[in-house]
Amino acid sequence: MRINRKKIVDYWGVLVIILGSGSYSFAHKSYVPAFIVMLLTSLFYLYYDKHAVNKHRLHTLGFVYCLIYGGIIFVNRFIIHTDVLNHSWVSWLFNLIFSFVIICRYPFYVFKKIYLNVLTVLSIISLIVFGGIELELFTPQIVNRPGAEGQYMEFFFHCVGWNFLFHRNAGLFHEPGAYQYFLNFALIFFIPEIKEGILKRKEKWQMLVIVITLLTTLSTMAYIAFLGIISLIIFFSKYVRVHRSWGPIVVLLLLGLFVIAINSPIIAQKIGENDVGEEHISKVTRARDLITQSEMTLEQPIWGYGIATKNFANRNYGNTGGCIGLVNNSASLGLLWLLIFLCFAYRGIKRMQLGVPTILVLFIFILIECNENFVDLPITYLFILNFLNYQRINVDTKIKNNESV
């Protein structure tokens, strides 16, 4: 495959979106490197695409979302809540602007093909690192967490444990539950091709790599979302539409897979209790966040408790983060933000023309978003903001001829 400047430019934007979405070495340990690279990338694309898509950006509903969300953050920070503990609202706003500049330059069908190519390479590397660590072929480096107690265990830019090995594949991200976002989203993007059986040979191998990598995360939410996606693909596939008698068999098969998944050692440990009656820390943390921050949302339904304010931290018992992104943001910004977010997510998914009910994909999207606080990272904005277009025609020809997007 011939590589030219235009292809490098297109691949770079997709790579930065992935790495800028909370990757361990690039954005999690310190946000400064990600901020600099994302800023320079945005400025470069604004100049590079000035004659092609800049006018399009200002006429999309994605731009309207940016104005509305930016307005909510501004009012929340400078008028309603001024007792901030930090300036995390700046990163929320910057991620929005960066995502808007980058996403709007890609046709959807071009983006998802590049995304699959990039993610396949990252997945293969993560499988090599994961296998090497498990077989004790590689020795991880131990580093102290900046500004917090505990340690990271890392190897070749991959996080492989906190204080002890995960024995799960976290890829380039700080934990396996974060990695599954990118893997499941790849499957969502290619629902039409999978269910209609029109994946190319290369894409079939790539999907196999994605699924194997997803299984090695041993993430509860990864498995639940994966089964949901597979269910949609099967129930709305061309084959099942023709052979309806297979429906009950498919239902039993999926239920069996679900039972097997939740009874796997890692997931069973998370859902149940250990030998001394203690619940898993992941379950406790998420349950606490869900209950506490849902109550906070109902207490302050219009403007919330603010972004990383003293009132938010006190009401949330000192936890200024929150691992369930949707309830964390609704507790910060109120139900107005949540309603707008879900409306734009529904519209964004519908425009992807996935060939399955939009509301069901939205439900899976919401489930995935309840695993980590990824709501304001570029990877989530793929479902909220507008791509340049959603036309499927001549996409393969454009990629083959290295034409600019």
Side-chain angles (χ1 to χ4, degrees):
M1 181 179 64
R2 185 168 61 92
I3 302 295
N4 64 13
R5 185 181 64 180
K6 293 178 181 178
K7 185 174 289 292
I8 292 174
V9 168
D10 294 337
Y11 270 74
W12 174 253
V14 176
L15 179 62
V16 173
I17 283 179
I18 294 174
L19 296 181
S21 296
S23 62
Y24 165 68
S25 294
F26 186 65
H28 185 73
K29 288 196 296 185
S30 174
Y31 187 69
V32 175
F35 175 84
I36 295 174
V37 173
M38 291 161 68
L39 176 61
L40 293 177
T41 300
S42 301
L43 295 175
F44 170 75
Y45 280 131
L46 285 173
Y47 173 79
Y48 186 83
D49 299 322
K50 61 182 179 182
H51 299 302
V53 298
N54 282 357
K55 291 183 179 179
H56 161 79
R57 289 191 177 103
L58 299 180
H59 291 86
T60 67
L61 278 180
F63 181 66
V64 175
Y65 179 84
C66 291
L67 291 178
I68 294 174
Y69 188 37
I72 291 176
I73 291 178
F74 181 85
V75 172
N76 192 291
R77 165 62 182 86
F78 292 101
I79 298 178
I80 308 298
H81 302 288
T82 58
D83 57 333
V84 294
L85 296 173
N86 57 56
H87 298 289
S88 58
W89 64 273
V90 176
S91 64
W92 288 25
L93 199 56
F94 174 76
N95 283 332
L96 172 65
I97 296 172
F98 165 79
S99 302
F100 175 72
V101 171
I102 303 304
I103 292 171
C104 287
R105 72 177 303 270
Y106 289 94
F108 173 64
Y109 284 93
V110 172
F111 177 89
K112 73 177 192 177
K113 287 177 179 291
I114 298 175
Y115 180 85
L116 181 61
N117 290 339
V118 173
L119 193 60
T120 300
V121 173
L122 297 180
S123 296
I124 292 173
I125 296 173
S126 74
L127 288 173
I128 294 173
V129 171
F130 172 68
I133 293 294
E134 291 301 300
L135 295 173
E136 299 183 353
L137 299 176
F138 305 144
T139 302
Q141 178 185 3
I142 299 176
V143 297
N144 293 324
R145 295 190 191 183
E149 295 183 358
Q151 297 173 322
Y152 288 119
M153 303 182 72
E154 62 178 47
F155 180 83
F156 193 61
F157 306 108
H158 288 62
C159 183
V160 298
W162 302 341
N163 302 324
F164 51 85
L165 288 175
F166 288 140
H167 297 295
R168 301 161 60 196
N169 189 354
L172 290 173
F173 302 89
H174 68 283
E175 70 166 4
Y179 195 13
Q180 65 93 16
Y181 273 72
F182 305 85
L183 302 167
N184 272 316
F185 284 172
L187 297 175
I188 290 176
F189 292 154
F190 281 85
I191 284 178
E193 289 81 358
I194 299 174
K195 76 181 188 66
E196 297 300 328
I198 58 175
L199 282 174
K200 297 178 181 179
R201 184 177 181 181
K202 173 187 173 183
E203 292 171 342
K204 291 178 181 178
W205 283 107
Q206 289 176 312
M207 284 298 163
L208 179 60
V209 171
I210 297 299
V211 171
I212 292 174
T213 306
L214 183 70
L215 295 177
T216 61
T217 64
L218 296 178
S219 166
T220 306
M221 188 58 71
Y223 288 1
I224 294 174
F226 175 64
L227 287 175
I229 295 168
I230 294 300
S231 300
L232 287 180
I233 291 172
I234 293 176
F235 279 117
F236 294 96
S237 68
K238 180 171 59 176
Y239 184 83
V240 172
R241 289 200 305 266
V242 175
H243 304 279
R244 295 183 181 275
S245 60
W246 281 85
I249 298 176
V250 171
V251 172
L252 291 175
L253 177 62
L254 291 173
L255 286 175
L257 290 174
F258 180 75
V259 171
I260 293 173
I262 64 175
N263 282 283
S264 65
I266 294 292
I267 296 179
Q269 180 187 16
K270 287 186 178 181
I271 296 176
E273 299 178 346
N274 60 19
D275 295 337
V276 295
E278 295 175 339
E279 294 181 315
H280 195 275
I281 185 63
S282 176
K283 177 182 177 182
V284 173
T285 301
R286 283 172 171 78
R288 181 197 63 193
D289 283 347
L290 178 61
I291 295 172
T292 303
Q293 295 178 352
S294 294
E295 291 175 346
M296 293 168 65
T297 301
L298 296 177
E299 291 168 1
Q300 302 287 344
I302 300 178
W303 291 107
Y305 274 85
I307 303 173
T309 62
K310 296 178 182 177
N311 286 336
F312 184 101
N314 292 335
R315 178 60 181 83
N316 199 36
Y317 309 112
N319 177 23
T320 57
C323 56
I324 303 181
L326 288 176
V327 294
N328 179 76
N329 276 34
S330 62
S332 298
L333 301 176
L335 291 175
L336 175 63
W337 166 83
L338 182 61
L339 178 62
I340 294 171
F341 178 86
L342 293 178
C343 287
F344 274 84
Y346 179 88
R347 176 184 172 276
I349 294 170
K350 186 174 183 179
R351 294 201 68 185
M352 291 178 181
Q353 305 173 60
L354 300 177
V356 295
T358 303
I359 191 66
L360 297 181
V361 180
L362 177 64
F363 178 70
I364 294 173
F365 171 75
I366 292 173
L367 280 178
I368 296 174
E369 289 296 333
C370 288
N371 200 59
E372 292 283 339
N373 193 359
F374 270 35
V375 170
D376 290 291
L377 295 181
I379 190 66
T380 295
Y381 285 122
L382 298 177
F383 292 85
I384 307 298
L385 303 177
N386 284 77
F387 285 91
L388 181 62
N389 63 62
Y390 294 82
Q391 299 170 5
R392 194 168 181 172
I393 301 173
N394 296 328
V395 169
D396 292 330
T397 303
K398 286 184 177 181
I399 293 179
K400 182 178 179 180
N401 296 333
N402 295 318
E403 294 181 18
S404 175
V405 298

